[in-house]
Amino acid sequence: VYGENVEGEVVDIRKPVPMIAGDYRIVFRKSGYQTIEKEFSISELSNFVQQDLSEIEQVGILILTNPPESMVFLDGVQIGQTDAEGGKQRFIFPGTYELVVQKSGYISDTRQVTFTENGQNRVEIELERNIGMLQLQVEPDDATIWINRESIQQNKLLELSPGIHRIEIERQGYEPYAETFEIVRGETTVRNIALQAYVGTLQITTNPISSRWVLTREGGEMVESGVGMARIRDVLVGNYIMEVIATGHK
């Protein structure tokens, strides 16, 4: 049996311990036995302290976590994870323990808990999400987006872990875009990104000069129309259809 906290020191009482004469408090503690505290005095003569410890029974404990299926540690020893309903039952000796609950995507919870012979021995722990939010808006809205090389959909609120992330955006006919950004736990980061289009200038001449023309995209969307010669700036790179009409001509 070991005696602990003899004036703040831990000693092995299976052998004589030299001490200065005076008054002391001693705590006898051993796993599976009742802890005993007692006051005693040391004189200049030989001193002998004897204490019998009573064995105690293990008690049932219940640890409840939100979210469920969280990992549970007692005094650094993994005792498993809570079930699908968030519960973990176990029999242990009464006493004070360091309880740690962990789950990926959440902030770990560490606390001191005391389980007693006659107590309810029920601990409820709710973990805090370890996330920040990204509100993303991209133009054009059909661009392809990757965050950390994972394809995502835009125009939605995204949950991301705190730290540095990388976004990459591509769309045919536009300059690719890439940047790094930081997500802070509990905060919302807003990104409004407009891709820079590849553009050119289209020069049109017709014969006869009175011909009417219509410029449309391959999908049928009209871009511009006019009569005779024209010069159109900032035309998006891509494929187009030009229809030219003149009376008396094919």
Side-chain angles (χ1 to χ4, degrees), residues 158-175:
L158 303 172
E159 295 182 350
L160 296 173
S161 61
I164 303 299
H165 300 266
R166 180 174 175 82
I167 184 171
E168 298 172 88
I169 307 173
E170 291 183 0
R171 206 286 194 180
Q172 184 178 5
Y174 291 79
E175 294 183 13

Side-chain angles (χ1 to χ4, degrees), residues 6 29 46 50 69 79 141-142 149 164 193 197 218 246 248:
V6 180
R29 182 180 295 120
S46 297
Q50 180 173 339
E69 299 179 347
I79 65 172
D141 59 9
D142 60 349
R149 300 185 180 276
I164 303 299
I193 301 171
E218 283 189 325

Side-chain angles (χ1 to χ4, degrees), residues 6-158:
V6 180
E7 289 301 300
E9 297 182 11
V10 179
V11 298
D12 183 351
I13 59 174
R14 292 176 296 185
K15 58 185 178 181
V17 179
M19 301 181 68
I20 300 174
D23 295 327
Y24 292 86
R25 179 180 64 88
I26 187 170
V27 179
F28 296 90
R29 182 180 295 120
K30 182 176 176 66
S31 178
Y33 291 81
Q34 183 180 11
T35 298
I36 298 293
E37 296 186 29
K38 64 189 308 182
E39 306 287 338
F40 69 102
S41 297
I42 297 293
S43 67
E44 296 179 354
L45 303 177
S46 297
N47 295 274
F48 179 76
V49 179
Q50 180 173 339
Q51 181 65 54
D52 294 327
L53 301 184
S54 300
E55 190 171 359
I56 56 177
E57 297 290 335
Q58 290 186 327
V59 296
I61 66 170
L62 173 60
I63 299 173
L64 297 171
T65 67
N66 184 23
E69 299 179 347
S70 298
M71 195 60 65
V72 181
F73 299 81
L74 283 177
D75 282 349
V77 178
Q78 179 179 314
I79 65 172
Q81 67 179 25
T82 54
D83 59 24
E85 296 181 350
K88 178 64 178 179
Q89 296 178 325
R90 192 177 181 88
F91 283 96
I92 64 172
F93 290 112
T96 299
Y97 296 81
E98 180 184 72
L99 171 63
V100 178
V101 177
Q102 298 177 345
K103 186 175 178 67
S104 178
Y106 293 79
I107 299 174
S108 298
D109 185 291
T110 301
R111 63 181 68 182
Q112 296 290 319
V113 294
T114 299
F115 301 113
T116 62
E117 294 181 68
N118 301 316
Q120 289 187 344
N121 296 327
R122 173 189 174 108
V123 181
E124 297 184 21
I125 296 178
E126 183 160 354
L127 299 182
E128 183 180 353
R129 292 291 303 274
N130 188 28
I131 61 168
M133 309 300 293
L134 173 65
Q135 183 176 317
L136 180 64
Q137 181 73 40
V138 176
E139 291 292 339
D141 59 9
D142 60 349
T144 302
I145 306 169
W146 295 271
I147 293 181
N148 303 327
R149 300 185 180 276
E150 181 179 347
S151 178
I152 61 100
Q153 294 180 348
Q154 66 157 315
N155 301 330
K156 62 184 294 187
L157 204 57
L158 303 172

